[in-house]
Amino acid sequence: MGNFRRVPVGIVGASGYGGVQLVRLLMEHPEVELVYLGGESSAGRSFADLYPHLAHLVNLPIEPVEPDVIAHRCEVVFLSLPNGLAYQIAPQLCAKGCKVLDLSADYRFSDLRTYTNWYGGQRTDDTIAATAVYGLPELYRDRIAEAQLVGCPGCYPTASLLALSPLLKQGLIVPESAIIDAKSGTSGGGRQGKINLLLAEADNSLGAYGVVNHRHTPEIEQICSDLAGHDVKVQFTPHLIPMVRGILATVYATLRDPGLVRDDLITIYKAFYRHAPWVKVCDNGTYPQTKWACGSNLCYIGVEVDPRTRRVIVMSAIDNLIKGQAGQAIQCLNLMMGWDETLGLPQLGFYP
């Protein structure tokens, strides 16, 4: 007889968009059992009160966040919290043997000074932070498999880095020439009420925000520098677009070899991602759309070359709440547990 034991899993911060995506995906994962949902502002309420459409499947309360209780009941804990909260409880959970996946920015940086410069706060968790692995499986699959603590990437960095990685890793571009023009649906701003996310404000409008100082910039630059082998600066500009979910990142960079053509780059991308089940490189002349990825853990990549300007243009489309957040965290969990990387994750999106 096989082992039918399921791994007990908990979510801290279950009431937000990241949390509800985790709940939906984990409820359908064949190897885990969701046993704990935690939160502060919603503690004492049932999850069904917050999301009535899941009441027929999820019969769990939102409980206070008590690390001792969580560690006693859970082997794996997802932290779906605002920045600055995960590092207050992750060290306690790790010390008690839990595997921890943090969806905030708290454990994405190898140098905590970078974190405090961009996010503030007083960090005292240097020791445990030094063990954290950046949770982009397409680049750090082996490290994630051995990790106890994973800092899951942001949604913009996921789309941007998957577009840039083959170019930087193989030295095909002038690194400092990279420009990232990215657009996100409103769910990327979270579930808390914000004026700029009101229908009357966001609908029929498109605008940039966080120009030159968006917090995802140092995260992107950290991984770009790792790939290139030296410090890299990129120009990153995010935009809010009037749709609910999805990110399209369009990346421009100057090629070192002006003789490279589109077919060459597509061949290089397909070879680079040949072992990446969640990255799909489009054929010649096909450019990805956010709708293709909606509801799935897929990233679609399209590549074009402009011989006139010697630039490569790479387009990357993901669902910001799945591959850009909850789905990618579960992809990391699969690696940490030695399971198939695709287990429990949606391979088909919603269309149309």
Side-chain angles (χ1 to χ4, degrees):
M1 296 292 289
N3 180 11
F4 292 98
R5 173 186 172 275
R6 292 191 173 209
V7 174
V9 172
I11 303 169
V12 181
S15 62
Y17 287 146
V20 72
Q21 300 299 316
L22 283 169
V23 169
R24 179 174 73 88
L25 295 173
L26 291 171
M27 288 295 293
E28 297 182 344
H29 195 292
E31 297 290 345
V32 307
E33 180 182 3
L34 188 59
V35 299
Y36 168 89
L37 300 177
E40 292 294 353
S41 61
S42 53
R45 302 178 64 185
S46 73
F47 188 75
D49 287 341
L50 304 177
Y51 294 102
H53 70 289
L54 297 177
H56 64 295
L57 286 177
V58 186
N59 184 27
L60 289 171
I62 307 293
E63 302 180 47
V65 180
E66 300 175 359
D68 287 344
V69 173
I70 298 170
H72 178 70
R73 290 162 55 186
C74 304
E75 290 184 24
V76 176
V77 184
F78 292 87
L79 303 179
S80 183
L81 295 164
N83 302 316
L85 296 180
Y87 70 75
Q88 298 178 31
I89 62 174
Q92 301 172 64
L93 295 172
C94 288
K96 295 179 181 297
C98 294
K99 294 183 184 294
V100 177
L101 298 105
D102 175 29
L103 278 66
S104 78
D106 288 15
Y107 289 103
R108 294 174 186 165
F109 295 94
S110 57
D111 187 344
L112 288 186
R113 291 174 298 181
T114 304
Y115 176 89
T116 54
N117 287 341
W118 287 81
Y119 291 87
Q122 297 296 318
R123 301 289 293 263
T124 59
D125 59 330
D126 302 57
T127 302
I128 190 66
T131 70
V133 173
Y134 190 72
L136 191 59
E138 288 73 19
L139 296 182
Y140 303 114
R141 182 174 287 105
D142 293 342
R143 298 186 199 175
I144 294 167
E146 301 297 324
Q148 181 185 12
L149 173 61
V150 169
C152 299
C155 50
Y156 279 127
T158 295
S160 303
L161 291 168
L162 291 176
L164 273 168
S165 292
L167 302 174
L168 289 165
K169 187 69 174 177
Q170 301 192 28
L172 300 175
I173 60 170
V174 179
E176 289 73 18
S177 70
I179 296 173
I180 303 166
D181 180 292
K183 298 170 179 66
S184 173
T186 58
S187 61
R191 203 182 190 213
Q192 293 295 320
K194 302 181 179 88
I195 290 176
N196 68 309
L197 300 181
L198 293 171
L199 179 64
E201 301 284 338
D203 195 29
N204 295 308
S205 182
L206 173 62
Y209 65 99
V211 180
V212 309
N213 61 6
H214 194 279
R215 287 172 165 180
H216 282 166
T217 302
E219 181 182 339
I220 296 170
E221 290 181 345
Q222 171 184 255
I223 306 305
C224 286
S225 299
D226 182 41
L227 291 166
H230 59 83
D231 286 344
V232 173
K233 295 280 191 294
V234 299
Q235 199 74 59
F236 169 62
T237 304
H239 302 73
L240 183 68
I241 196 162
M243 62 184 187
V244 174
R245 52 202 302 164
I247 283 180
L248 179 69
T250 303
V251 176
Y252 306 85
T254 300
L255 289 167
R256 291 189 187 276
D257 180 357
L260 286 173
V261 298
R262 178 177 63 188
D263 287 355
D264 298 328
L265 270 297
I266 289 176
T267 299
I268 289 168
Y269 268 76
K270 287 187 175 181
F272 189 89
Y273 288 120
R274 65 189 180 278
H275 299 306
W278 295 113
V279 177
K280 304 301 177 186
V281 180
C282 299
D283 292 333
N284 290 351
T286 300
Y287 310 131
Q289 302 176 26
T290 55
K291 186 179 288 290
W292 297 358
C294 183
S296 81
N297 197 54
L298 291 167
C299 173
Y300 289 92
I301 291 179
V303 183
E304 189 57 88
V305 172
D306 186 346
R308 186 179 60 87
T309 61
R310 290 180 50 193
R311 291 195 184 100
V312 58
I313 303 101
V314 186
M315 296 135 283
S316 172
I318 64 170
D319 185 321
N320 59 296
L321 297 177
I322 308 296
K323 180 57 177 167
Q325 195 172 25
Q328 182 149 259
I330 293 173
Q331 188 181 348
C332 289
L333 169 65
N334 288 338
L335 292 170
M336 295 166 78
M337 301 301 295
W339 300 329
D340 186 286
E341 194 172 327
T342 64
L343 198 63
L345 289 170
Q347 301 189 52
L348 294 174
F350 311 129
Y351 194 91

